[in-house]
């Protein structure tokens, strides 16, 4: 068993501790009461959606959430996160499973090695780490990814974009070293500054003409 496996096991096991649940009760209650306001919390390993450890969270979501300086690594989150603000949130190794994230503000966050099946229309991502993440499509024929998304100073090193769209989106001063685009729809996209993807980083799709004038 690797160190990462042991870390994940410890994170999951704490959710069976009454002492731990009591220490985070105000945050759980804010989610249950449809007013998620989370500051300085360790909620690593939390599951929000049908697979939740806590019955009250099985039918809840993070709609209009305000999450600041908190740890949600290894989380599994489903449902709406629309109109949310995330600042300095650790979401490494998280699984955002069919999350709708319209009109969100995401600043100084870490999605490294996360699995993201998301719709991010009109969302702003700034100074955020997506390195090693998998941004992919769902299985229901819905267009995942996002339209009119703005990414500023984001890291996409070794990120996989698989069967998603980012139409009319902007990437400003972003790093695409080692990233891969497979069968994606990037019509109307703009990349300004940063480290642009190479022609060899595109598979099963046309190489966007805006990269190679």
């Amino acid at each position: 068993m690797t160190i990462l496996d042991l870390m994940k096991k410890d994170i999951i096991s704490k959710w069976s501790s009454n002492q731990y649940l009591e220490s985070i009760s105000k945050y759980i209650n804010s989610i249950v009461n449809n007013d998620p306001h989370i500051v300085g919390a360790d909620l690593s390993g939390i599951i929000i959606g049908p697979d939740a450890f806590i019955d009250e969270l099985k039918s809840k979501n993070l709609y209009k959430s305000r999450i600041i300086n908190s740890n949600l690594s290894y989380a599994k989150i489903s449902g709406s996160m629309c109109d949310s603000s995330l600042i300095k949130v650790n979401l490494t190794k998280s699984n955002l499973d069919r999350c709708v994230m319209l009109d969100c503000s995401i600043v100084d966050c870490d999605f490294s090695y996360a699995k993201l099946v998301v719709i991010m229309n009109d969302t702003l991502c700034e100074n955020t780490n997506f390195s090693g993440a998998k941004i992919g499509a769902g299985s229901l024929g819905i267009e995942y990814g996002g339209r009119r998304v703005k990414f500023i100073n984001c890291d996409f090193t070794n990120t996989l974009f698989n069967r998603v769209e980012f139409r009319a989106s902007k990437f400003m001063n972003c790093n695409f070293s080692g990233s891969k685009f497979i069968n994606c729809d990037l019509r109307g996209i703009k990349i300004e500054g940063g480290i642009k993807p190479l022609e060899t980083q595109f598979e099963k799709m046309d190489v966007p003409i805006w990269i190679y004038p």
Side-chain angles (χ1 to χ4, degrees):
M1 184 175 290
T2 67
I3 293 176
L4 288 177
D5 290 332
L6 290 171
M7 288 175 58
K8 185 175 181 180
K9 183 177 180 180
D10 289 342
I11 287 170
I12 292 173
S13 66
K14 72 184 178 186
W15 287 91
S16 60
S17 165
N18 290 331
Q19 182 179 0
Y20 172 71
L21 293 177
E22 183 177 351
S23 71
I24 62 167
S25 60
K26 66 178 180 180
Y27 305 118
I28 299 301
N29 289 338
S30 74
I31 299 172
V32 171
N33 293 326
N34 302 315
D35 184 24
H37 192 83
I38 299 166
V39 180
D42 177 9
L43 298 179
S44 54
I46 191 171
I47 300 178
I48 301 173
D51 299 327
F53 303 122
I54 300 172
D55 288 340
E56 291 86 349
L57 296 182
K58 291 181 182 291
S59 61
K60 295 299 176 179
N61 55 53
L62 291 177
Y63 176 62
K64 287 192 174 182
S65 59
R66 300 294 179 265
I67 308 176
I68 302 171
N69 194 30
S70 294
N71 183 3
L72 275 71
S73 61
Y74 291 93
K76 183 177 181 181
I77 302 169
S78 301
S80 177
M81 290 181 69
C82 296
D83 196 23
S84 292
S85 175
L86 281 63
I87 302 173
K88 294 184 179 179
V89 181
N90 178 4
L91 284 147
T92 59
K93 290 281 187 175
S94 62
N95 181 0
L96 272 58
D97 181 24
R98 292 163 293 172
C99 277
V100 182
M101 305 177 71
L102 312 182
D103 296 296
C104 291
S105 176
I106 300 171
V107 180
D108 294 327
C109 292
D110 190 348
F111 288 90
S112 57
Y113 300 99
K115 181 180 179 181
L116 306 175
V117 179
V118 295
I119 302 175
M120 303 178 73
N121 296 359
D122 302 299
T123 282
L124 168 67
C125 296
E126 188 170 3
N127 299 326
T128 290
N129 182 11
F130 293 94
S131 62
K134 295 180 179 180
I135 304 175
S139 58
L140 300 178
I142 300 171
E143 293 286 353
Y144 287 92
R147 299 187 182 188
R148 301 173 301 277
V149 189
K150 183 178 288 186
F151 296 95
I152 302 173
N153 299 326
C154 292
D155 187 356
F156 294 100
T157 301
N158 297 324
T159 301
L160 173 63
F161 298 84
N162 186 14
R163 295 184 298 122
V164 291
E165 66 166 8
F166 280 100
R167 293 172 61 179
S169 295
K170 293 182 179 180
F171 295 82
M172 304 172 66
N173 297 317
C174 294
N175 182 357
F176 288 96
S177 298
S179 61
K180 184 72 69 175
F181 293 83
I182 301 175
N183 196 20
C184 295
D185 185 350
L186 304 180
R187 285 176 288 177
I189 202 171
K190 293 183 179 179
I191 293 183
E192 300 177 4
I195 301 176
K196 297 180 175 64
L198 303 174
E199 186 173 357
T200 55
Q201 291 172 232
F202 297 88
E203 296 182 5
K204 298 181 181 179
M205 59 181 292
D206 294 331
V207 177
I209 60 175
W210 37 261
I211 294 182
Y212 308 100

